[in-house]
Amino acid sequence: MKVLITGGAGFLGSHLSEAFLARGDEVIALDRDAQAKVRHLLGHRRFRLVVDSVMNPEILDALAAEADLIYHLAGVVGVEHYVADPYDVLSVNVNGTQNLLRAAYKHGRRVVFSSTSEVYGRNPAVPWSEDADRVLGPTTIDRWCYATSKAAAEHFCLAYRRLGLPITVLRFFNVYGPRLDRLDVGRVIAILLGQLLRGEPLTVIGDGSQTRCFTWIDDAIRATVAAGIVSAAEGQVINVGTDQETSIRALAELMIRIGGGPSTIRFVPHASVYGDSYEDVPRRVPDVRRMKRILAVEATTALADGLARTIAWFRGANADAARPAVA
Ligand code: UDP
């Protein structure tokens, strides 16, 4: 089988590429940048990297024509982008998805779309089943542009489903592991890890009581692969994650315990990190029953185990591979 993965050189995409290569499939990764995360795959005879964008309909049409299955993972992710460049977030996540769906529909290709737990916003009634309400803040708070863009993209996916396109929407919950982000940039684990490795205090935003369910990459990838293969997944929206809830303060404490060294915790106010255009999500927990039932996958890796492996990877020689080749 030939699998097209948009965003194939990103964090999830690079791991998904490895998983399909390990199955014996062919992979075409389409990505606009950040080749470092797939540098180790570039010589593989069943792997091809196409450096282009989902904003280019011609390339999508050509690649969709030759693929048997499409994963649409390309998107702009990371709170620093939501508050710095909401235009890019909205444009790529909404228009890029439309471009992809048009090409997939024309060629009749099955699609798996990567959405996010962020679409639930700050709905206080956790855990969230896939049909839970979306509770977002005002449009004047840039942070919500990501949730809005992904929800709009989901609507497009479901509209194409009505036209007969076989499609699955996955909502990922704080997936982490090797190659997550550059140290100090992006998601909380990458930021805290940079501080930990330098022995600096770990910056916990607010009082650290906000929670996330950190999902080990290999668990998320098993669910993602199944979503493209299991026929019962067609037409479904599925949470992908663990329901083990961890406060950010507990995350920081665990990282210090596992990583060792002199780091302590420093509590910092929201506004000092992200400015005024940021609101936090107090609790984020998935209902994972559908994932278990349809995809037959459970995210069982304990946070302590996944963190130990992540810290070891970033400490090791591979740390350089997390830095993008093109700045
Ligand atoms: N966070 C933190 N310190 C940091 C960066 C983030 O305490 O240096 C917190 C952030 O406020 C949020 C959580 O960690 O509550 C997760 O943030 P992330 O940026 O990974 O993404 P989110 O889960 O909010 O989409």
Side-chain angles (χ1 to χ4, degrees), residues 79 82 118 143 174 186-189 191-192 195 203-206 210 212 214 248 268 270 273-274 278 280-281 284:
V79 171
Y82 317 158
E118 180 90 3
R143 191 240 159 86
N174 289 79
R187 287 154 277 202
V188 62
I189 289 181
I191 293 174
L192 301 191
Q195 297 162 343
T203 53
V204 168
I205 296 178
Q210 68 274 33
R212 299 291 186 270
F214 294 99
I248 298 301
V268 295
H270 290 146
V273 185
Y274 295 120
Y278 175 73
D280 214 332
V281 172
R284 177 184 286 167

